[in-house]
Amino acid sequence: MKQSINILISGGGTGGHIYPAIAIANELKLRYPDANFLFVGAKDKMEMEKVPQAGYDIKGLWISGVQRKLTSDNLSFPFKLMSSLWNASKIIKKFKPDVAIGTGGFASGPTLIMAGKKGIPTLIQEQNSYPGITNKLLSKKAKKICVAYDNLERFFPLNKIVKTGNPVRQDLLSIQTKREEGQAFFKLDKSKKTVFVLGGSLGARKINELIASNLDFFEKQDVQLIWQCGKLYFEEYKKYNAKENVQVYQFINKMDFGYAAADVIISRAGASSVSELCIVGKPVIFIPSPNVAEDHQTKNAKSIVDKQAALMIKERNLDTFSVVFESLMKDADKQETLSKNIKELALPSATKNIVDEIEKLIGL
């Protein structure tokens, strides 16, 4: 549809905020090829690299979160906030957006606050089962709140909530047809079970330590590993590529092939990962990070585990891993039940649903 609209999108800090923002932009661009897009991020965060790679312009604000302990960053926070509100206001005045969309992260706070003050309709997309402080604050003025979990009326006004799900990579929607392609891509032995290990793009120390200490155990279980150890840990763990049943990667670009080839997945429980794993529909062992705001990964994982759709091991209980893993591998019925139940939680049309809500806001 030929229509020149200006769309302001803010979200970042982690892939979990950036990729949903890009997915929403891509769907809007598909519907409105003549639309103008501008992203607003935090100056030193990964969105400043990832958003231009996806083909969109981005402006950076000098902003960071408040640390839980006293640091110099905390002392500078009031100045960063004032600077960001001022600069967000200038960006909005110049760009003249028809709508402002926030997907969480530090920069979305000042951006959507100033958009709201200027009478621009705002929509926030909350990925987690337990919202962060930014979205809780923004929800008071937002026109619409798109969520991925039930029971968020505890935090947000009920009349604004729409359950859409979280945007996921579109190449995951056809995962069921890619198993052989995935096995060939990773040169896997088709007679063995494959375990796919994910700790996020930067990596997860506890998961990496767990996998490294259990390599002999995995060999005895006769399984092969695809192990994304993350950017921060690759130098430390790449030596294990010498083992016949282990493939260690810093980052996997063909995630759809990794998911398709996997029989069992070991993963953190960030909101985007959880949404992807529901669509993938494989047995999952979640090991949530306890080091994130409000312990939201544990809450994300628990919402799936409570529906008998995944297993969870908390970091403090990792000594039980071998027992949990071995009993799952030996129980084909359990694997099938977990697969079936997690797939029932999938919301594959999330991106389209969110963009439908944006259209309603702008009156398109």
Side-chain angles (χ1 to χ4, degrees), residues 44-259:
D44 55 347
K45 295 294 182 182
M46 65 191 281
E47 57 263 32
M48 301 309 292
E49 179 191 338
K50 298 293 181 191
V51 168
Q53 280 174 3
Y56 296 102
D57 291 335
I58 186 166
K59 301 273 186 198
L61 300 178
W62 182 48
I63 188 73
S64 61
V66 180
Q67 306 297 315
R68 289 181 210 180
K69 48 186 185 290
L70 190 64
T71 65
S72 57
D73 266 2
N74 278 1
L75 296 175
S76 64
F77 179 75
F79 304 102
K80 289 182 177 181
L81 183 60
M82 293 310 293
S83 158
S84 294
L85 289 165
W86 168 256
N87 283 306
S89 181
K90 286 203 302 187
I91 289 165
I92 291 162
K93 193 175 177 184
K94 188 175 178 189
F95 184 64
K96 298 182 178 63
D98 294 288
V99 66
I101 301 153
T103 60
F106 309 134
S108 67
T111 307
L112 268 72
I113 285 169
M114 297 317 291
K117 279 188 186 300
K118 291 177 189 292
I120 294 151
T122 62
L123 175 145
I124 57 176
Q125 195 260 324
E126 174 55 59
Q127 294 105 30
N128 291 294
S129 58
Y130 196 96
I133 192 164
T134 304
N135 275 354
K136 279 190 210 163
L137 185 70
L138 293 174
S139 69
K140 294 174 176 59
K141 300 285 186 190
K143 297 282 187 207
K144 198 62 76 175
I145 304 162
C146 295
V147 303
Y149 292 90
D150 295 322
N151 305 319
L152 266 78
E153 62 276 8
R154 292 177 295 154
F155 309 105
F156 298 140
L158 181 61
N159 63 329
K160 296 181 181 181
I161 294 174
V162 185
K163 188 180 177 187
T164 55
N166 285 325
V168 297
R169 298 169 237 239
Q170 294 307 290
D171 57 11
L172 298 185
L173 302 180
S174 56
I175 203 93
Q176 315 308 326
T177 64
K178 296 181 180 177
R179 186 164 172 83
E180 286 196 5
E181 219 176 335
Q183 288 171 327
F185 181 81
F186 289 103
K187 300 182 177 63
L188 295 167
D189 179 344
K190 290 184 183 180
S191 68
K192 290 185 177 182
K193 294 278 189 190
T194 301
V195 178
F196 192 19
V197 182
L198 300 167
S201 51
L202 296 176
R205 177 178 293 283
K206 287 289 186 188
I207 290 182
N208 287 334
E209 288 172 354
L210 173 78
I211 299 303
S213 65
N214 277 284
L215 290 177
D216 291 342
F217 166 73
F218 287 124
E219 206 169 327
K220 286 191 188 110
Q221 295 292 308
D222 199 30
V223 298
Q224 52 202 343
L225 294 184
I226 303 170
W227 175 10
Q228 181 182 289
C229 69
K231 186 179 176 179
L232 301 178
Y233 303 99
F234 185 65
E235 287 306 311
E236 189 179 344
Y237 292 106
K238 65 182 182 184
K239 62 189 176 194
Y240 296 118
N241 274 319
K243 292 181 88 68
E244 197 181 328
N245 66 324
V246 180
Q247 297 181 39
V248 187
Y249 295 90
Q250 175 174 317
F251 187 75
I252 292 170
N253 286 316
K254 296 294 290 180
M255 284 294 287
D256 53 334
F257 285 170
Y259 283 135

Side-chain angles (χ1 to χ4, degrees), residues 11-23:
T14 66
H17 295 313
I18 298 164
Y19 297 123
I22 291 170

